[in-house]
Amino acid sequence: MSDTDRPDERPAQAPNAVSSSDEVTIRRAPKFGVFIVGGAVLGFIATLIVVSATMGIDRGDQQETASFGSLVGYFSLWGVTIGAFVGAVVAVVLDRVFARRAARLTAERVEVELPPETVEGEIEDHGDADRQDDRTQ
């Protein structure tokens, strides 16, 4: 049986410690920024693949005026935006799923008041200031 399985046994507390119990919720939560940036990167990669696949299509008598770079630049505005939106939606869905699986536990908060640090007696002068005066002369 581990220490966490025995709630009745508590560690010894200092004589000036104050403890209180609080109910806490423990759950996993996705990092929204990671999902949004990841979706944007995947949207850019999807844009690169689509533009590369459609560059060789014969468009009849239309002149090819746009270069590969300009097409990727234009369509990546859409691809990155849609990818970031999809990443945010995935993060919200995961957040809702993890919120349902949240566990409520009781945590004990212990506040210990430290005694003031006082020194009895006088501070002795070791003559360090006199030695520095001798060096500067």
Side-chain angles (χ1 to χ4, degrees):
M1 188 177 236
S2 69
D3 291 336
T4 57
D5 294 337
R6 294 182 234 146
D8 297 336
E9 296 178 12
R10 294 186 178 164
Q13 294 181 0
N16 56 352
V18 178
S19 65
S20 62
S21 296
D22 294 327
E23 191 169 319
V24 295
T25 302
I26 298 177
R27 70 179 184 101
R28 297 183 60 129
K31 294 184 178 181
F32 284 79
V34 173
F35 278 89
I36 292 171
V37 170
V41 168
L42 289 177
F44 181 74
I45 291 172
T47 301
L48 281 175
I49 292 170
V50 169
V51 170
S52 296
T54 58
M55 282 296 290
I57 294 177
D58 185 27
R59 292 179 179 81
D61 60 349
Q62 295 179 352
Q63 293 181 354
E64 180 101 14
T65 58
S67 67
F68 178 76
S70 64
L71 287 175
V72 168
Y74 175 74
F75 286 112
S76 67
L77 295 174
W78 288 98
V80 168
T81 304
I82 292 171
F85 179 74
V86 169
V89 168
V90 169
V92 168
V93 168
L94 284 176
D95 188 45
R96 297 292 186 236
V97 168
F98 290 147
R100 289 184 192 152
R101 297 181 184 177
R104 303 218 26 110
L105 301 173
T106 302
E108 184 175 341
R109 179 183 309 222
V110 178
E111 295 180 22
V112 178
E113 295 179 18
L114 297 176
E117 293 185 25
T118 58
V119 178
E120 294 181 14
E122 297 181 15
I123 299 176
E124 296 179 14
D125 184 20
H126 293 286
D128 292 338
D130 294 337
R131 288 185 196 154
Q132 189 164 0
D133 289 339
D134 293 339
R135 289 183 204 154
T136 57
Q137 292 178 0

